[in-house]
Amino acid sequence: MATDLDHRLSTILDHLKKGHEGVRVLQDLAVVYDMKEALSMPVDKLNQIIVHFIGDMYLGLEGKTSSFKMLPSYVYKGDANVSGTFLALDLGGTNFRVMSLTLDCGKVVQEDQVKYEIPSALMRSDKSGEELFDFIAKCVKEYQEKQVASKAEGLGFTFSFPVLQHGIDSGILITWTKGFSTKGVEGRDVVMLLREAFAREGVKIPVSALVNDTVGTLVAGYFADHHAEVGVILGTGSNACYWEDVPQIRKLPSPSGWLGGDQKMCINIEWGNFDSINQNVLPYTEMDNEIDRQSPNPGRQRFEKLISGMYLGEIARLLILKLVRHGILPTVPTQVPPFSLPSVAISEVLRDESADLAQVRAVFYKLYKYELTTGQATTIRDMFCCITLRSARLAASGIAAILLKTGNVKNAKICVDGSVFEKTPYYKQQMEQCLDEIFESHGITSHGVQLVPTSNGSGVGAAMISALAKRAPTSS
């Protein structure tokens, strides 16, 4: 598809043939096209990525050195024809949610939730884990009393901190993040801490599952459609999970809850870390390497740094500064500090399809008092398209790798949540087109793979996992 830059090139060449001055502009375009090429993701490159991706999946499942953790969730693919009322507790920051979900034969018939704010004092190191979890238990008790949720049959606990999980209802906190430093929690089982707090407060709900939000996204989609094969988060961060045959999880020869046979367990890949060990396949630009050097975790999460919302705006900022250094864009009149260009600005730029790109120019004037011509705004918009297109195609390559590894391509449903997927113009369509190209290169036509927007995995999904945990896994 021809872009505005392609049309400009044709115009410049026409002027050169007529003797007009255009060499400088042609040199500028060469820089832009070089940058576009560095961001491009042709199918041959994506297939190279897919081969390495699948190899790392196998290594992780075997417990060997891999960029993927391939974490067992102990959530088994089973009969979702469940009825009853289940709670979800979602703790991932300064606020937490309590949700009630009523299911009738696997379908949501009633849903309710309340948010609570955690006092900042309870997040500090001079407070104990017992104090923090007692506060949470009191809020759950209050919710029960107000919402008449005392008949809940189980609770799924979404705990969005690094944990080492040994079973569906057990996990050790490795380290606090997100500003928490509450003492006496690191190195302990957070489910046990919650159960003990419930006992002290008289809350009589069994905590039946410890949940990862990506796993919750897949399970929420699975309850809606049993063809759900992969869960993906494409937001501030990025991750994926999928159903894996238990015998393939060779590092876990006899996992908790497994009844034997070829049942499937959800595996949390932690795909954001792909290629972070050897760094020999992802196409890093100078902008990507700069972001990695300045990050708090250099050399890690390299895949996430190419595709997630936390970094797309920063890639765009560094790209603009490069265009300024080359004289392609004018000097910015104000400072352009790191992470001052939010990813939401990229979406605003991409939505503008007007002839004069007034919205694009307004975005940059608001951010930096930066006055752009329509031609300069066109260059920025074209480059932002390249950044988000690269993200979409890389995400699609990861999904394709998972489906090719499992062999579950036909009519697979991919459950996707996150602001990048939901709010970036054309992102979903770009992923779909890329999947078509990849599968066609493998001789797979009419694959029927669908990307299904699936929100609230940390809430609805957690309650549904609690429902799955209610019964023993069955072969499927």
Side-chain angles (χ1 to χ4, degrees), residues 223-381:
F223 267 71
D225 188 328
H226 288 189
H227 289 98
E229 295 291 343
V230 180
V232 180
I233 302 295
L234 289 166
T236 303
S238 186
N239 190 20
C241 65
Y242 73 105
W243 298 115
E244 179 60 88
D245 293 329
V246 173
Q248 292 290 320
I249 313 170
R250 296 181 181 175
K251 64 181 177 182
L252 204 65
S254 184
S256 172
W258 182 41
L259 297 182
D262 58 354
Q263 285 130 0
K264 297 179 185 293
M265 181 196 291
C266 185
I267 293 293
N268 171 17
I269 301 175
E270 294 291 344
W271 82 356
N273 201 51
F274 175 57
D275 200 42
S276 295
I277 295 178
N278 297 320
Q279 298 183 17
N280 58 1
V281 61
L282 289 178
Y284 307 113
T285 66
E286 61 182 86
M287 290 87 72
D288 302 317
N289 289 326
E290 175 65 18
I291 287 172
D292 184 57
R293 282 193 298 269
Q294 298 300 323
S295 72
N297 56 346
R300 297 167 56 194
Q301 299 296 107
R302 295 303 304 263
F303 190 58
E304 184 174 72
K305 290 170 183 173
L306 300 184
I307 68 175
S308 75
M310 178 175 289
Y311 301 102
L312 292 179
E314 183 65 0
I315 296 169
R317 182 190 75 91
L318 292 172
L319 187 149
I320 288 173
L321 293 179
K322 180 175 180 178
L323 293 175
V324 170
R325 288 196 302 272
H326 282 276
I328 298 167
L329 292 177
T331 302
V332 185
T334 61
Q335 288 191 342
V336 188
F339 291 94
S340 62
L341 180 60
S343 295
V344 67
I346 295 181
S347 296
E348 292 175 2
V349 166
L350 296 183
R351 287 193 195 99
D352 189 355
E353 298 179 350
S354 64
D356 63 355
L357 296 181
Q359 177 64 24
V360 177
R361 292 184 285 120
V363 166
F364 282 92
Y365 187 80
K366 180 180 179 180
L367 285 170
Y368 307 117
K369 305 299 181 184
Y370 199 21
E371 295 186 356
L372 299 168
T373 66
T374 300
Q376 291 161 350
T378 297
T379 298
I380 288 176
R381 188 180 185 279

Side-chain angles (χ1 to χ4, degrees), residues 455-470:
S455 61
N456 201 12
S458 60
V460 172
M464 289 174 169
I465 289 172
S466 177
L468 281 180
K470 171 186 173 183

Side-chain angles (χ1 to χ4, degrees), residues 8 22 25 51 88 94 103 109 166 181 183 190 192-193 246 249 320 325 355 372 407 411 418 439 454 462 464:
R8 289 174 62 196
V25 180
V51 170
T94 56
L103 299 171
V109 295
H166 297 294
S181 58
K183 67 182 179 181
V190 294
M192 186 59 66
L193 286 169
V246 173
I249 313 170
I320 288 173
R325 288 196 302 272
L372 299 168
N411 301 318
F439 291 134
T454 308
M464 289 174 169

Side-chain angles (χ1 to χ4, degrees), residues 9 17 65 86 90 108 112 212 217 239 278 281 283 388 444:
L9 175 58
K17 291 174 183 176
T65 300
F86 302 87
D90 180 11
V108 179
D112 178 81
N212 169 274
T217 297
N239 190 20
N278 297 320
V281 61
T388 57
I444 303 172

